[in-house]
Amino acid sequence: MTTVDLPAPTLTAKDFSSDQEVRWCPGCGDYAVLKAVQSFLPDLGLRRENIVFVSGIGCSSRFPYYLDTYGMHSIHGRAPSIATGIATAREDLSVWVVTGDGDALSIGGNHLIHALRRNVNMTILLFNNRIYGLTKGQYSPTSEVGKVTKSTPVGSLDHPFNPVSLALGAEATFVARTIDSDRKHLTAVLAAAAAHRGTSLVEIYQNCPIFNDGAFEDLKGPRAAQRLVRLEPGLEVTVDGRTWQHDPTEISPTRQFALSRMDEAEAVPIGVFRQVERPTYDDLTRSQAADAVADRGRGRLQDLLDSGDTWTVPGPSATPDPTDFQEEPCPS
Amino acid sequence: MTTVDLPAPTLTAKDFSSDQEVRWCPGCGDYAVLKAVQSFLPDLGLRRENIVFVSGIGCSSRFPYYLDTYGMHSIHGRAPSIATGIATAREDLSVWVVTGDGDALSIGGNHLIHALRRNVNMTILLFNNRIYGLTKGQYSPTSEVGKVTKSTPVGSLDHPFNPVSLALGAEATFVARTIDSDRKHLTAVLAAAAAHRGTSLVEIYQNCPIFNDGAFEDLKGPRAAQRLVRLEPGLEVTVDGRTWQHDPTEISPTRQFALSRMDEAEAVPIGVFRQVERPTYDDLTRSQAADAVADRGRGRLQDLLDSGDTWTVPGPSATPDPTDFQEEPCPS
Amino acid sequence: MASTVTELDRVVIRFAGDSGDGMQLTGDRFTQEAAVFGNDLSTLPNFPAEIRAPQGTIPGVSSFQLHFANYDILTPGDRPDVLVAMNPAALKANLADLPRGATIIVDTHDFTRRNLDKVGYDANPLEDDSLAEFAVHALDLTGLSVEAVKEFGLSRKDAARSKNMFALGLVSWLYGRDVAGSEEHLAAKFAGRPTIRDANVAALRAGWNFGETTETFAVSYVVKPAPVAAGRYRNITGNTALSYGLVAAGELSGLPVLLGAYPITPASDILHELSKHKNFGIATFQAEDEIAAIGAAVGASFAGTLGVTATSGPGVALKSEAMGLAVMTELPLVVVDVQRGGPSTGLPTKTEQSDLLQALHGRNGESPMPVIAAQSPTDCFAAAIEAARIAITYRTPVMLLSDGYLANGSEPWAIPDVAGLPRIEPGFATEPNHDKGDGTTDFWPYLRDVETLARPWAVPGTPGLEHRIGGLEKAGTVETGHGNISYDPDNHDRMVRLRQEKVRRIADSLPPLEVDDPSGEAEVLVIGWGSTYGPIGAACRRVRAAGHRVAQVHLRHLNPFPNDLGEILRRYDRVVCPEMNLGQLSRLLRAEYLVDVRPITTVRGLPFGAEALSADLLAHVTETPEPTA
Amino acid sequence: MASTVTELDRVVIRFAGDSGDGMQLTGDRFTQEAAVFGNDLSTLPNFPAEIRAPQGTIPGVSSFQLHFANYDILTPGDRPDVLVAMNPAALKANLADLPRGATIIVDTHDFTRRNLDKVGYDANPLEDDSLAEFAVHALDLTGLSVEAVKEFGLSRKDAARSKNMFALGLVSWLYGRDVAGSEEHLAAKFAGRPTIRDANVAALRAGWNFGETTETFAVSYVVKPAPVAAGRYRNITGNTALSYGLVAAGELSGLPVLLGAYPITPASDILHELSKHKNFGIATFQAEDEIAAIGAAVGASFAGTLGVTATSGPGVALKSEAMGLAVMTELPLVVVDVQRGGPSTGLPTKTEQSDLLQALHGRNGESPMPVIAAQSPTDCFAAAIEAARIAITYRTPVMLLSDGYLANGSEPWAIPDVAGLPRIEPGFATEPNHDKGDGTTDFWPYLRDVETLARPWAVPGTPGLEHRIGGLEKAGTVETGHGNISYDPDNHDRMVRLRQEKVRRIADSLPPLEVDDPSGEAEVLVIGWGSTYGPIGAACRRVRAAGHRVAQVHLRHLNPFPNDLGEILRRYDRVVCPEMNLGQLSRLLRAEYLVDVRPITTVRGLPFGAEALSADLLAHVTETPEPTA
Ligand SMILES: Cc1ncc(C[n+]2csc(CCOP(=O)(O)OP(=O)(O)O)c2C)c(N)n1
Ligand SMILES: Cc1ncc(C[n+]2csc(CCOP(=O)(O)OP(=O)(O)O)c2C)c(N)n1
Ligand code: SF4
Ligand code: SF4
Ligand SMILES: [Mg+2]
Ligand SMILES: [Mg+2]
């Protein structure tokens, strides 16, 4: 979220569509998310030029090309670092990161958790299809154990991350989950994420019909009602035999974490798990700079160069010919 | 922990001391941990040659030089990956990682969380002095907000990680915390960690008298009794107004996570937070290999090369002079 | 029924269609038929960068080119004699590559207004005279296929998907190929889905029969088998051959192999292939990133396994620091770089040779690493074994360079007899190697072999050899091999030179270079490395066929260079070096030998065309020599 | 009271003691005194690699060498005329560097059996004749200091810690230096701790008085001021000068600066220094690793800030992939590499020039990046501004090479007048630049300046210029600057050459090289780059003083090379290139110009000694020329 208020233009989804042809596979969940984002962006009330989308590498990371905002399709896993630089440099931009489960949690895991603990102003959309799409179907850090893929012909061995638990363990201030197939829910979560000042992580369950079709089938259609828990503030939830009213603004993350472990049992919670206020890294950086100017005045270069122990050599004095001197007796 | 039983030799702490002079600053907490480890290693009942210590870079990462076992002082942040290779290659080794708060949580954060979720057989000793020692005192990802250091002359801005919370969010199977000054507790935690099959993370609060002296002073001496909660199975604990008996073997990490947030209030828990069984990555790798041999027999190279669609060219036939041919009419 | 059968020496055929049209399978099968028939061959698949680009668009076109001949050929061919185009996009994307007079077989089914618009065809090219200079066979392949499989009750969509098999059948007929092998293949592939199997076989047969019974084609062709040495053959891609080479290296050295890898195009298939061979003592570890991948390989090597990591250029960049650790700790390690178009993400699915300088210099400090390259898909097998030999013998990380063209291209491979492959001796240290002077001994991990300068490889678990290694400078010369950390200035200078010399000595283990100069009188030498071997060879043949003399030498070893290379370069008046980069080997040769090596460069993501390259070579060969003083 | 005052041209003095003895401070203060007095000077601090190695051991010795003179000098000196040694370890570690006849001032206090044993002295060297060839002053400096400060009631340990100030006072007296400045410094430094302040001042004065009143020293010395240009001066280290250069670049371009950095020796001080100047619009971001550090810098540059990242060799290795992204996206970026001993972790606190080839080639693909180097501590200021000029003008990442010697070494700096510094024009794009042909316009992010080939820098927040950039190949030539992803083979070839040409054109903006050849008749040219400037200059002076002719040229620009370099190299019969690596610049020059550049190399973690280097040069200068054909 940007804090700088600019006259809100009246834009539509179309204003946010670039001239590039969208190139995902037919049926890819990314289309639905793109549509939702394009439709939602006008609601931000921001000018297009004040929005930046940064992505890593992966199918989902093509996202910025399709939005008529500023954007960078960067390198694998590093989008949160790049976004950190953008957000720290500029307070007037709304900074978005688009990433995949491989991009964000495999190669980019460290940047993600550090962005979360720093609480840099950015909204991270993590497209979780539980597979590496772009490299044609290897298992990912969110794939279930035993997954048979090109790189694991007799099944994968490693226990997956739960992105929500990981984020909560990494001191995140905003964590939410939604699903590609539910446009309304997606949009609501996007709105909450964008409104949050700090790092917002939104995990989006996204179907990859080519390499991991149906990963979230259970959560769609008629069965969805039993399998999904739609988190709302005040919703009564029960985990491990304990019941309470969900409060995303609770400072202690312990109950939100407990919620994130629900899927181990029956139901999968979607919605906002956590949303707490904490000063953001970039705002603090700017306020340290402002304080420095307030305390010491805007820096003057000449003063800086002249600082420290200096001395003055008076009057011009000819520089002697250096060949007159030698530093030690000549060796030969 | 290694599963391969070898006749247990009778060794002493001295057998585990290498001929290298120990080179930490006077009063560094690392000395105490080294002594404790050297004294504890004989209890493992393993041969020296079956023990490997791998470290990254940092003051603490000098550790392997001082132990007369196999060892590698590797590069910054990468020790968990190297240890993963060692553990996956060899089931008969006891693999230890020694790392600092910068090494493990800053540059090496991703390898750490992936080792934890994979549950590779290794014991990670994380020396947390909440500062970068070797590079002479910059703040670290565990430094408190507002820390004045060489790189943050007006105070650091970022919210620190809680290594225990992070580990629990990263699907760890064994997480513990101890402190350099309490040899007995340290040894007991080491014993539990070493006994665990899988990735054990032990956070060790370690004093750096040079760059962050007294960071854990509160937890030592007379005040320790009020400030420390010594976790034991069955200990009655209260967090956020809820009371229960601590059970590190509980499969759901939610209450263990809650415990890890205790320090936000008054008391700092030390001891074993979590210790659950889960197949290890390296064991599973070995069992997939064993299954492959059982199913298909030990691979025969000739058979592999001969596999697929092959054909046979009968009888010897002279290879013609390639200059007799040309692929297309010559351009000139 | 065709009236005439014409004999040809060689044919280049390209199958092109939408990504979903199964062109790679069609190409693979036809390749296999040509191989079994005894032709020599070379292939060039070309994938779109997108997983599934929008249907019917140019970026979505997938193609497979096959060159087959009755003699030994060296390249997949420059320009297709035959194009099979399954839709307007496939036609448009490939047309510019066709020589005048080429044959085009086109599926008319998708030439709808909508599809034509998608690719910017104002008029239907099948209906105006824009294809006048080609021999066009416009057939409703889709319709014919649907008809052929209708008895199986498939959905229309599934029925239409058999059109690639119809096309395969038709082309097989055209070149007199037997489809029995492909039928078997389909039977095996769709064993679990009998309807699909039967439909595909039916479409395949229908295609063949269509050629045989209709009079669409006046002529069919035969390309006789190539005279090749007796033996057992199979068709193999570079990535598979490289993977097999790594399996072989494990067997030949008696070492288990651990591949640490993070998926990346075009190297991922090495991970995929090796993950199938767990019963060979091969472990594959899909790491969280490239750094962890090489980290695990280094750890495995320390533990007495052959550590391997496979990636492409961006991954090599990330592994730089860890390679330095392997250089410093002197552990065996094979780093495979399947090069692709750069810089940065670049052109991931295209080929290039632009990582050579990165391989040599992409590490901090003086960090010498042997570098070798494979020259053809089949050669990837031997190159992998050679990389392992150097790594194990000299205790050093080795960079093995392949590229996208080798990785996915295929050619027939005379399957080697395993018994004839050379063994590799790991020679683990088993006991203390240093006399302390007081009657006792201890182990010095850097006490070197005086000849190879290799240090001992003492594996955890070996009693009495406990030791510590690391990335800091150490006292590790031939005289002082205890390996303790040393900040002594003179020691560092000696160590830096020693690590360099150790790599240099690898050259002493190499056979003399083979210079191909049939006339024995060439004045111009063409030098290359890696996958340009085929195109350079083909271009040289052309130059020679045009009546000129030219010599060719091709390097497997890029660091160190073979001992006789300088002498060879100086033997010629002129040295020319074609590369798929901006002249990287040229620079290295110029710096090393002060010879005015002239680069010929292409950076188009595609191998050199033999035709264009031969024209370039000819210019150099026929240029008047500069007057020498 | 000394009987005689002798005048000297120059003195090299080295303070050595345990890490805890405060030798760096002593050296700094004496440097400042010499500077204020008007001497020219050059310093070489030498830190132990450990934070605090065990007390009294050789690895724990910290030293500071200062060369001061009455003329302009170029190096910190080869061999100390005076060694101040605070304990046995300091004596032993430094003795070998002393020339016969040197003065040794030694604190006898720590010459106990236990301390002698620690460093392997069987006998006390102060008591046998092992120091016979030196002028030894064995004094109980500690005892004298404790005595001098006893009135302040400090603990014995704290009292003893004032011995470095006692030593400073004594040496100040010896060279007739005023200690008033140092007194002020102590007063400021310990303002909050008056007892410590007073004790230190007392020890300082006691040391001075000790020299003045006792007859320990028969002679005292004077080194007159050096004739230097008028102006305001200060002493400055390379890291500080480089940091100031970055602040200046921000001011001169009007851009905010964001430094993304991860601490690493010897680059960390740049982060420390810049973090102090937040009131200049400088933001410092201590990242989680080197990759995130450059990532943030790239992001900041995209956002219209000058992105900078500073590290050492291992960090550069990690940044390789991201530098490729900056090359591909053509964003301004300054990457500072303060080189240290490699490979791998190597010798972190020592200097080396071994990252040159990494700087040029350590990225995947053809990934050209301008590379420049600073040649002295003060020159780091101008070098940083030049790096920023190139980065901003050409929209490219630039590698700025410094090294451990420049970073920590210091020399007097004629403080520049800010008004005289050249402005740098960011020239942000403000409006659409491309005519769509239908009467409307749009923005093409890769529509280049036809002269520099730089692309427009359009910063988020600018309406109408919304665009997307990335690491994939794009259509971005002068003609087709829309920058959309392109897999077209010919486009890629053009783009690869264009990125190379853009970097090459930087050479067109450079002034002619300055060749220093006082005789105008030299036949041998010595070429260097970076921190060897001083030692090469000093060695050339010696060669000339010995009656020989030699020319010197020193490169700031390593990529591209200046346009006139080839011509200059060819002008000489012989070209010699001293480097602190195994000959990296030599290789580049040989490859580029086919000139037989002869390397002189040292990799000892220390700068060249002028004496040894002049001997090497002399050998080349006096060698009989080979007969030319
Ligand atoms: C440094 C580097 N390593 C590897 C790759 C290859 N690569 C590209 S995307 C990707 C993973 C994609 O998975 P994910 O992030 O889940 O995105 P998806 O395609 O599923 O949307 C990989 C391994 C790369 N481009 N760069
Ligand atoms: C790639 C790389 N980056 C940076 C460094 C410099 N470095 C060495 S140790 C270290 C951090 C040390 O902190 P920590 O891990 O907490 O260990 P400690 O010294 O406190 O025990 C850093 C930044 C390095 N050696 N390598
Ligand atoms: S591979 Fe999967 S994730 Fe990628 S574009 Fe296709 S459907 Fe979407
Ligand atoms: S700097 Fe701190 S952590 Fe490092 S050795 Fe010294 S006391 Fe220990
Ligand atoms: Mg994915
Ligand atoms: Mg630390």
Side-chain angles (χ1 to χ4, degrees), chain A residues 18-20 23 48-50 52 62 64-65 67-76 78 81-82 84-86 88-90 92-93 110-111 114 118 281 285 288-289 292-293 296-302 304-320 322-323 325-332, chain D residues 10 29 32 35-36 67 71 74-75 78 227-235 244 248 251 258 276-280 284-289 291-292 295-296 299-300 302-303 305 321-322 325 412 415-418 458-463 465-472 484-485 487 538 541-542 545-546 611 614 618:
Chain A
S18 79
D19 60 352
Q20 299 297 298
R23 290 197 182 158
R48 280 192 308 198
E49 65 265 26
N50 285 65
V52 183
R62 290 234 160 199
Y65 289 121
L67 292 173
D68 200 2
T69 65
Y70 282 88
M72 195 191 305
H73 178 220
S74 74
I75 45 177
H76 200 29
R78 317 303 173 186
S81 325
I82 293 170
T84 296
I86 297 172
T88 306
R90 294 280 296 272
D92 60 334
L93 302 178
N110 206 30
H111 308 306
H114 279 270
R118 281 195 197 104
Y281 180 85
T285 299
Q288 281 194 341
V293 172
R296 294 182 270 155
R298 179 64 169 75
R300 282 194 59 244
L301 181 57
Q302 191 70 58
L304 175 65
L305 306 190
D306 287 345
S307 66
D309 289 332
T310 64
W311 67 94
T312 305
V313 174
S317 87
T319 314
T323 53
F325 301 94
Q326 55 171 98
E327 304 200 5
E328 274 175 71
C330 180
S332 73
Chain D
R10 52 179 287 285
R29 289 312 315 157
Q32 196 54 35
V36 171
H67 186 183
Y71 63 97
L74 294 162
T75 75
D78 294 5
V228 288
R232 202 178 165 92
Y233 285 79
R234 62 179 288 183
N235 210 40
Y244 285 6
E251 297 293 300
L258 186 141
K276 296 178 196 155
H277 305 300
K278 300 190 200 308
N279 59 332
F280 279 89
T284 54
F285 167 58
Q286 181 177 311
E288 61 271 26
D289 66 7
I291 305 178
F302 182 65
T305 290
E321 192 205 6
L325 177 67
I415 301 173
D417 179 0
V418 168
V459 168
T462 318
L465 308 196
E466 295 83 8
H467 67 279
R468 277 68 51 195
I469 57 175
L472 284 165
N484 293 339
I485 296 172
Y487 301 112
R541 284 188 190 174
R542 284 164 190 249
E611 181 182 335
S614 67
L618 212 57

Side-chain angles (χ1 to χ4, degrees), chain C residues 113-136:
Chain C
R113 190 62 261 154
R114 194 160 156 266
N115 285 325
L116 291 167
D117 282 348
K118 267 194 202 164
V119 298
Y121 267 130
D122 288 339
N124 186 341
L126 304 179
E127 288 165 7
D128 58 20
D129 55 2
S130 55
L131 303 178
E133 58 184 38
F134 306 104
V136 181

Side-chain angles (χ1 to χ4, degrees), chain B residues 266-295:
Chain B
E266 264 300 85
V268 176
I270 61 172
V272 178
F273 287 77
R274 177 173 178 79
Q275 175 170 19
V276 303
E277 299 297 316
R278 196 167 75 214
T280 75
Y281 180 83
D282 47 316
D283 287 339
L284 292 171
T285 300
R286 281 182 287 267
S287 78
Q288 281 194 341
D291 290 352
V293 173
D295 288 2

Side-chain angles (χ1 to χ4, degrees), chain B residues 50-61:
Chain B
N50 285 66
I51 301 174
V52 183
F53 275 80
V54 185
S55 64
I57 300 284
C59 295
S60 37
S61 288

Side-chain angles (χ1 to χ4, degrees), chain A residues 24 30 56-61 75-78 99-107 127-136 138 140-142 206 208, chain C residues 51 262-265 268 289-290 311 314-315 318 340 345 348, chain D residues 321:
Chain A
W24 289 302
D30 293 354
I57 299 285
C59 294
S60 36
S61 287
I75 45 177
H76 200 29
R78 317 303 173 186
T99 179
D101 44 325
D103 195 61
L105 296 170
S106 197
I107 193 166
F127 289 57
N128 185 2
N129 55 11
R130 297 190 176 157
I131 200 80
Y132 291 175
L134 191 72
T135 47
K136 306 200 175 175
Q138 298 84 11
S140 93
T142 55
Q206 171 242 328
C208 167
Chain C
I51 302 303
Y262 185 69
I264 187 167
T265 305
S268 308
D289 66 8
E290 281 85 353
T311 186
L318 287 168
R340 66 188 215 182
T345 312
Chain D
E321 192 205 6

